[in-house]
Amino acid sequence: MPVTALVSAKSAGTTTSALALTLTSRRPSLLAEADPAGGTVRAGLLQGAAAADTGLYHLAAAERTGPDHLAQVFARHLWPLDREGNRRLLPGLTDPAQAGALARTWPALSDVLHVLAEDAGYNVFIDAGRLAIEAGHLHPTLTPAPLIHQADLVLLVVRGTEQSLALARHVIEPLRAELTERGSGADALGLLLIEEGPYRAHQVAEVLGVPLLAALPFDADTAAYLTHGGRPPRGFERRPLPRGARTATEHLDAVASRRHIQQQYPAHRQIAGVLQRLTKGGARG
């Protein structure tokens, strides 16, 4: 299963989108809240239920104990998002001042997340927060750069508004260059569109010059629940956002699988073409 990092140029619903994908995945799933600016799910959806001794910062302390210690304690720092324990959260930082302690933690955490995806069959989503660019590269402290570099897919979350597209334009080329030079390749980059505003999916992809890999309906009531917690909207599973997220996760799985095959067999263009035709139409248009 893929490891998918979600990023934004500015607050664009990244955490809400990552939660929607995690909660509606048909497979076991994990959301790693890795925004250096701080996590919001603990105080939002969970309304403070997650224990203070659980979460990302404690993994940094474990990693300093020894290179294997983070992997050994990783499971202890996950919080269940459903009764069955099939959907889990790695809660994020409670204080942005803690971000500096994570620079050497990101690579080890990335390895654990990929093992979880590849060997345990989890859909892993990373909320990497707002991109911070310095001298044309991802900022080493204000972004979890190694998590983005090693992700199978990197989704730039945008809304169909002029403001959102204007902000996204400024980060696309640095992000594309970063993935080419230090990551798994520029073809890992795609868009996740929140369908709010006048621009439709094909217009957004054309304006930004990046393929659209997923689209989520604008569903204010469900988004408010995922952001603030409380009682879920009636018929939660049937509401537009969960239904759209379920479709999106399936399409992302197919895209990541196709990309994996292309990387293994780069000369097999016919195979890639067949896979592309089979998965065409998974993203909303």
Side-chain angles (χ1 to χ4, degrees):
M1 294 300 102
V3 174
T4 303
L6 283 74
V7 300
S8 70
K10 196 174 181 180
S11 179
T14 306
T15 302
T16 301
S17 299
L19 270 170
L21 295 172
T22 303
L23 291 171
T24 58
S25 171
R26 296 187 186 277
R27 297 184 177 88
S29 56
L30 170 74
L31 170 57
E33 205 178 9
D35 185 349
T40 59
V41 179
R42 192 193 305 261
L45 178 64
L46 300 183
Q47 296 190 319
D53 60 353
T54 300
L56 178 62
Y57 181 70
H58 299 284
L59 293 183
E63 193 277 334
R64 288 193 294 272
T65 301
D68 299 326
H69 195 52
L70 183 149
Q72 293 169 7
V73 304
F74 176 76
R76 297 184 210 162
H77 291 280
L78 304 183
W79 192 264
L81 293 174
D82 63 358
R83 293 179 181 176
E84 296 78 18
N86 291 325
R87 300 178 177 103
R88 297 176 179 271
L89 168 74
L90 173 62
L93 299 179
T94 56
D95 182 352
Q98 299 168 338
L102 292 169
R104 55 178 280 178
T105 305
W106 298 129
L109 176 59
S110 180
D111 290 344
V112 172
L113 295 179
H114 279 271
V115 168
L116 193 66
E118 296 164 11
D119 295 349
Y122 270 68
N123 266 326
V124 175
F125 300 99
I126 300 169
D127 176 5
R130 178 179 178 176
L131 291 171
I133 307 294
E134 181 181 63
H137 294 289
L138 296 179
H139 194 284
T141 301
L142 301 180
T143 58
L147 299 186
I148 297 171
H149 291 159
Q150 297 176 34
D152 298 301
L153 298 174
V154 178
L155 301 181
L156 178 62
V157 181
V158 298
R159 297 178 185 266
T161 65
E162 185 65 44
Q163 181 186 57
S164 183
L165 299 187
L167 291 168
R169 287 189 187 99
H170 297 293
V171 302
I172 286 173
E173 287 310 316
L175 182 55
R176 187 180 275 137
E178 183 89 10
L179 292 172
T180 299
E181 296 171 15
R182 307 180 183 186
S184 62
D187 61 333
L189 178 62
L191 300 175
L192 186 156
L193 172 66
I194 298 175
E195 295 174 326
E196 179 190 18
Y199 289 92
R200 309 304 298 165
H202 69 281
Q203 295 172 310
V204 170
E206 183 177 352
V207 166
L208 296 180
V210 178
L212 183 79
L213 298 187
L216 299 177
F218 181 66
D219 179 355
D221 289 343
T222 305
Y225 162 67
L226 295 176
T227 301
H228 304 295
R231 179 174 295 180
R234 185 168 180 161
F236 174 78
E237 294 289 339
R238 300 186 300 276
R239 291 192 60 82
L241 179 53
R243 287 192 290 109
R246 193 173 299 113
T247 300
T249 58
E250 293 172 356
H251 181 63
L252 293 173
D253 286 351
V255 171
S257 295
R258 182 171 71 239
R259 185 168 181 265
H260 181 66
I261 290 175
Q262 289 173 335
Q263 289 174 326
Q264 283 189 312
Y265 307 103
H268 290 201
R269 300 301 179 189
Q270 291 181 338
I271 293 177
V274 169
L275 288 170
Q276 188 165 11
R277 286 192 291 274
L278 286 173
T279 58
K280 187 177 182 181
R284 297 164 60 108

